[in-house]
Amino acid sequence: MMSCRFSLFHKSIAYFLPILLLAGFLQAQTGKGRPKIGVSLSGGGAKGLAHIGILKAMDSAGLQPDYITGTSMGSIVGGLYAIGYSGSEIEALAEKIDWNLLLSNESELRGIIMEEKSEYKRYAVELPFDSGKFRLPTGMVESEELWLTLSELFFPVYNIKSFDKFSIPFKCIATDATNGEGVVLDKGEITTALRASMAIPSFFTAVDINGRRLVDGGIVRNFPVSDVRKMGAEIVIGVNVSTGLNPKEKLNNPLSVLSNIIFFKEAENTLKQIELCDIYVAVPANDFNTASFGRSREIIDSGNLIGNMLYPRFRAIVDSLDRIYGKQPLRTNRLPKVDSILISGYEVRGLHHTEEKFFLDMMGFRKNAYYTPKEISRRIRKGFGIRYYNRITYRLQETGPGSANLVFQVEENPLSAAKFSLHYNSFSGISLVMNFTSRNLFSKSSRTYGTLNLGENIRLRAEHLEYLGKRRNFSAVGTLQYEYLDFKQYAEFEEFGSFRQHYFRVGGEFGYSFDRSNATGLGLRYESLRYDPSLIAILDVKGKNSLITGSAFYRVNTLNRNVYPSRGWKLDYGAEWVMSQKGELTLYQEGQPILNADSLGISYDPYGRTTLLIDYYRVAGKKGVLLGGLQGGMNFNYNQYITNDFIVGGLTRQFRNQVVFAGYPENTIFTNSVAALQLGYQYELFEKLFLTWRSNAMIYNYIPRKNLDTDTKFLSGHALTAGYLTAIGPVELSVMYGDQAGKLRAYVNIGLHF
């Protein structure tokens, strides 16, 4: 059972009624009205969600504050309450929010343009390159989603620029990063003020307001009781969720000591603020920390528990005040009703590399049209999804009753950035992945990048993308890729040798995107492959082959994120025609070259092929996700070995023609035709810690090849994976079992692959 400490609370109950009676007597003498009640809510990160329970108790008791102040998360909760949301409504909002997305530097993947999805957030470190030098941001997280969510929640007060005119007058606290002064925010854009108040230094980027660069107000005044007193509050209820300085026994590492040093001033100020409270509520939150948003339900419940304990006392205060000053009418319908607004014009500020027309065309805004806050956010996500912008915020400038100009404040991404990540995989070994991306390098509305995988296997890829058309929904992509990979060879599921594959590819695609989730197009590519076996055994190949292939494709991607998605699906279908080949291959059997390869029916004639990939994710319960997958590939009239076969095995897609298959390592099977079905279940045990089960089955070799073993065969296998999502990507340890092989195998993957 959690407990609550009430400093000055018992004194308040013991002496409060006599004080009120005296106040009533003085009221009769001086003509003063009902005493003003103020509420002050502290910062505390995720722990600030406990404030909700106290506000709910006040609502239930009919205790109506006249002023509210807040810092950091206390400013978010207090601001929502001030504009008219009830405690219960704030609780419902908090339960619906995807906190991991809101407090990350990501936007939902489904809002990213199709051509950009595969590269989105693939790297652990991204360093903007601007004006000939690398530039570090003022914090790790900008959080476009946080800006948009705040804008949606506070949309009903879009036309109120003085916080004193809210249903309950409100102020929040930030800190000037240049001199450490506290800054009281009480006018302007409420979303900008709140974002500044919670801008934890080095985590969230700083916010510029009126020429000042502002960060989290908790640095100077985490518990702004004095501010609510200055507003005119005569009775102050202060709610503090901060645990204060670390006690001596917890000062056992450099970070805990540094934390105490940083917050000495704030802790001293909090003690002074506590003395200004008439009713001080310290919510016990030692079981949580500022980042415990994954336990938001528990934190809210802890606040509800304290609120239930406080309810009788709040009710007693209301009854006492009503007896002295008469019953106070309940303020109802405090939140203004604004479902949509007529947008009469647009203004875009902050553009340097892109044009206003391009910006507005990508989002599809029209003049003299009505928009809801969710529709505005949806269209801004479309603009954010083209990757030219680091932040897009907006304000509504009232032009008349129910109409406004939409004013955008845009921060563009630097045109170039260097990106880095580390990767380790049981198949590909350890590597450093380095990328340099530049936009508008050769032409406007283009993206060019080069990626180098430096490690046990050398790989590089370069790509140039041109956006075309008014809405940039046409694209032209040119790619160049080279790699050499070491493959182990298997026969009857036993390793017997290895070979090195050298692969070169150059090609292009022309595509059309129906929206952010569907695209189709045509492609043409040249490929060259060379095989160098280290041990020639059973049936092997040495030499090279080159081929020219034309293709048509259709792709769908509605996943909400690239790593551990919880909903959506991904489809990639290709129909291809291998138009010409030039084979210079020698086949070996039992270590001896086969001089008459024609006896095996090997030919390099043109042939057709199709490929299909489907991944499906659906939420199943509060923390579970159902997984489904289908992979297929068929080579028609194809009489070769290895060069364009489908390669079965592994848990991560890493190379050409791979069919991932739980239970078996990469390269276990080469086949000209395959159909594989996978089912699975993913469960989030704790925040960012996932347990995933996969089972799959496949048939292969169902299209015959001359003089080669093409009997249709069946394969099945399973894998159990424990994965933790870190800054460099997932850290995964898997145990696999192949039914036909009858073997358990371990599989390790760390980070995101090339």
Side-chain angles (χ1 to χ4, degrees):
M1 174 68 69
M2 302 188 71
S3 62
C4 178
R5 178 171 63 90
F6 301 97
S7 176
L8 300 179
F9 195 94
H10 296 96
K11 289 184 179 180
S12 298
I13 296 300
Y15 299 108
F16 206 64
L17 291 180
I19 291 172
L20 288 176
L21 290 173
L22 177 60
F25 173 78
L26 294 174
Q27 152 70 12
Q29 302 300 313
T30 63
K32 288 185 178 180
R34 190 183 184 100
K36 301 295 185 180
I37 297 175
V39 173
S40 184
L41 306 179
S42 78
K47 295 182 290 185
L49 295 172
H51 290 310
I52 297 171
I54 314 304
L55 298 178
K56 285 174 62 181
M58 291 170 55
D59 288 340
S60 298
L63 184 60
Q64 303 178 99
D66 299 284
Y67 308 106
I68 296 180
T69 59
T71 296
S72 198
M73 184 55 75
S75 73
I76 303 293
V77 176
L80 289 169
Y81 194 75
I83 71 169
Y85 289 98
S86 69
S88 295
E89 288 171 332
I90 299 172
E91 179 178 27
L93 292 172
E95 286 188 310
K96 291 178 182 178
I97 288 175
D98 183 344
W99 292 102
N100 288 331
L101 177 64
L102 198 70
L103 300 175
S104 72
N105 230 14
E106 299 183 18
S107 184
E108 272 211 329
L109 185 65
R110 63 183 61 200
I112 304 301
I113 203 165
M114 280 291 286
E115 292 79 9
E116 301 273 359
K117 288 181 188 284
S118 62
E119 285 290 301
Y120 185 59
K121 296 300 177 183
R122 288 194 60 83
Y123 300 94
V125 177
E126 297 191 13
L127 297 177
F129 188 75
D130 195 16
S131 302
K133 59 184 179 181
F134 290 107
R135 176 173 62 81
L136 294 177
T138 58
M140 295 185 297
V141 177
E142 179 63 60
S143 187
E144 176 70 10
E145 284 298 318
L146 176 59
W147 282 103
L148 292 179
T149 299
L150 289 175
S151 295
E152 287 181 29
L153 295 176
F154 287 88
F155 188 82
V157 293
Y158 76 91
N159 57 345
I160 302 178
K161 306 304 181 183
S162 173
F163 307 165
D164 286 338
K165 295 182 180 179
F166 290 161
S167 172
I168 303 173
F170 172 74
K171 297 182 190 295
C172 61
I173 312 302
T175 303
D176 190 324
T178 61
N179 55 27
E181 291 181 357
V183 179
V184 178
L185 300 172
D186 58 5
K187 62 176 67 69
E189 296 300 316
I190 179 63
T191 54
T192 307
L194 297 177
R195 175 62 175 77
S197 182
M198 65 173 297
I200 302 170
S202 79
F203 182 75
F204 283 115
T205 54
V207 177
D208 293 334
I209 298 179
N210 297 329
R212 307 181 80 168
R213 180 149 293 181
L214 305 182
V215 293
D216 195 308
I219 297 172
V220 292
R221 196 152 63 252
N222 194 53
F223 191 28
V225 181
S226 57
D227 301 279
V228 82
R229 283 283 186 194
K230 290 177 183 177
M231 293 175 76
E234 298 161 274
I235 301 171
V236 174
I237 301 170
V239 186
N240 186 13
V241 299
S242 178
T243 52
L245 297 175
N246 293 309
K248 177 182 176 181
E249 57 272 16
K250 290 190 176 182
L251 296 177
N252 50 18
N253 60 69
L255 286 178
S256 61
V257 174
L258 181 61
S259 175
N260 267 21
I261 294 172
I262 292 173
F263 289 104
F264 274 155
K265 182 179 178 181
E266 184 273 317
E268 180 182 0
N269 181 266
T270 294
L271 292 175
K272 295 177 180 177
Q273 300 295 317
I274 291 173
E275 294 176 357
L276 299 175
C277 294
D278 296 295
I279 301 173
Y280 172 60
V281 182
V283 178
N286 292 327
D287 293 338
F288 310 107
N289 59 51
T290 57
S292 296
F293 286 97
R295 301 174 66 189
S296 59
R297 183 65 262 176
E298 296 176 62
I299 297 173
I300 293 171
D301 286 342
S302 72
N304 287 336
L305 180 62
I306 303 305
N308 292 337
M309 296 169 61
L310 286 167
Y311 170 80
R313 294 164 173 81
F314 287 161
R315 184 66 242 181
I317 294 171
V318 173
D319 290 341
S320 299
L321 289 171
D322 286 347
R323 281 195 296 270
I324 298 170
Y325 301 103
K327 191 169 181 64
Q328 185 181 33
L330 288 176
R331 297 192 293 257
T332 58
N333 301 319
R334 295 193 300 115
L335 186 67
K337 183 72 172 176
V338 183
D339 295 324
S340 63
I341 190 169
L342 178 69
I343 302 300
S344 54
Y346 300 92
E347 183 180 345
V348 186
R349 299 175 180 176
L351 295 180
H352 302 287
H353 309 306
T354 56
E355 298 175 350
E356 181 174 314
K357 186 177 185 302
F358 170 81
F359 178 83
L360 294 174
D361 282 348
M362 289 305 297
M363 294 185 285
F365 278 112
R366 296 180 292 113
K367 285 185 179 180
N368 298 315
Y370 281 91
Y371 292 97
T372 66
K374 289 190 178 297
E375 179 64 13
I376 294 175
S377 293
R378 187 184 73 81
R379 291 179 181 273
I380 288 177
R381 288 186 182 97
K382 289 180 66 176
F384 186 76
I386 64 174
R387 307 294 309 281
Y388 273 87
Y389 308 108
N390 181 53
R391 182 180 70 217
I392 304 173
T393 61
Y394 70 90
R395 62 184 177 88
L396 293 163
Q397 189 176 64
E398 191 173 23
T399 56
S403 67
N405 284 334
L406 190 54
V407 181
F408 295 101
Q409 185 64 50
V410 181
E411 181 182 299
E412 293 178 313
N413 281 319
L415 290 179
S416 300
K419 309 175 186 181
F420 306 89
S421 65
L422 290 172
H423 179 240
Y424 174 81
N425 183 270
S426 296
F427 165 73
S428 56
I430 190 167
S431 58
L432 171 65
V433 183
M434 299 175 286
N435 170 280
F436 191 83
T437 298
S438 186
R439 298 182 184 275
N440 298 358
L441 182 62
F442 299 113
S443 62
K444 284 193 173 183
S445 304
S446 70
R447 182 207 65 191
T448 306
Y449 75 75
T451 304
L452 173 64
N453 183 96
L454 191 61
E456 297 177 39
N457 293 281
I458 301 297
R459 312 173 78 174
L460 62 88
R461 181 171 60 241
E463 178 177 291
H464 179 72
L465 165 67
E466 289 277 350
Y467 293 113
L468 307 170
K470 179 180 178 181
R471 296 284 177 88
R472 307 310 192 261
N473 48 357
F474 289 92
S475 64
V477 184
T479 59
L480 183 147
Q481 183 172 336
Y482 172 77
E483 61 189 27
Y484 65 81
L485 297 173
D486 289 320
F487 288 85
K488 294 179 180 179
Q489 292 179 281
Y490 296 85
E492 299 299 326
F493 311 115
E494 295 292 338
E495 182 183 340
F496 70 86
S498 64
F499 70 88
R500 173 164 288 183
Q501 174 185 280
H502 296 257
Y503 175 65
F504 172 79
R505 165 181 171 165
V506 60
E509 288 183 350
F510 181 78
Y512 173 76
S513 297
F514 299 98
D515 52 31
R516 296 301 166 90
S517 301
N518 296 264
T520 189
L522 301 172
L524 182 69
R525 67 179 183 269
Y526 167 83
E527 297 169 284
S528 176
L529 302 100
R530 189 173 82 244
Y531 300 93
D532 295 321
S534 59
L535 175 64
I536 297 176
I538 306 180
L539 182 63
D540 216 328
V541 62
K542 183 176 182 179
K544 64 180 181 179
N545 185 30
S546 60
L547 52 158
I548 298 175
T549 305
S551 64
F553 62 83
Y554 177 64
R555 296 166 185 154
V556 178
N557 190 335
T558 67
L559 301 180
N560 61 330
R561 51 181 176 262
N562 275 324
V563 181
Y564 296 125
S566 60
R567 61 184 181 277
W569 69 301
K570 181 178 181 180
L571 178 148
D572 194 338
Y573 172 75
E576 303 178 343
W577 181 252
V578 179
M579 295 181 286
S580 67
Q581 298 183 81
K582 184 178 180 181
E584 299 176 12
L585 298 170
T586 301
L587 275 76
Y588 293 81
Q589 190 167 21
E590 302 292 342
Q592 299 298 317
I594 301 174
L595 300 178
N596 183 16
D598 292 340
S599 64
L600 295 177
I602 301 298
S603 70
Y604 298 99
D605 297 328
Y607 63 92
R609 69 196 310 257
T610 62
T611 59
L612 176 67
L613 165 67
I614 298 176
D615 288 330
Y616 177 75
Y617 300 83
R618 181 176 180 177
V619 173
K622 188 174 181 180
K623 294 187 176 182
V625 178
L626 287 176
L627 316 178
L630 180 64
Q631 298 172 88
M634 292 178 283
N635 288 331
F636 303 98
N637 195 32
Y638 164 82
N639 293 300
Q640 296 176 25
Y641 177 65
I642 293 181
T643 56
N644 222 8
D645 277 5
F646 299 99
I647 305 173
V648 176
L651 293 178
T652 55
R653 294 186 179 97
Q654 300 185 72
F655 50 83
R656 172 183 179 270
N657 286 350
Q658 184 184 10
V659 176
V660 297
F661 199 78
Y664 299 87
E666 290 84 354
N667 203 42
T668 297
I669 291 170
F670 280 81
T671 178
N672 73 326
S673 50
V674 59
L677 175 68
Q678 182 182 96
L679 297 175
Y681 183 74
Q682 174 182 292
Y683 186 79
E684 190 170 6
L685 287 171
F686 305 103
E687 187 177 3
K688 298 184 179 181
L689 178 61
F690 298 86
L691 194 64
T692 306
W693 172 263
R694 298 179 180 89
S695 291
N696 44 210
M698 66 181 290
I699 58 171
Y700 61 100
N701 279 358
Y702 51 83
I703 295 181
R705 282 188 285 190
K706 294 179 181 178
N707 301 324
L708 290 174
D709 178 14
T710 56
D711 292 339
T712 300
K713 296 184 178 181
F714 176 81
L715 194 69
S716 59
H718 320 273
L720 180 64
T721 302
Y724 186 72
L725 191 56
T726 70
I728 65 169
V731 176
E732 299 174 318
L733 175 62
S734 302
V735 177
M736 306 192 301
Y737 181 77
D739 294 320
Q740 285 68 35
K743 285 187 176 182
L744 279 172
R745 299 178 186 269
Y747 191 92
V748 178
N749 183 76
I750 301 174
L752 297 175
H753 61 83
F754 173 83

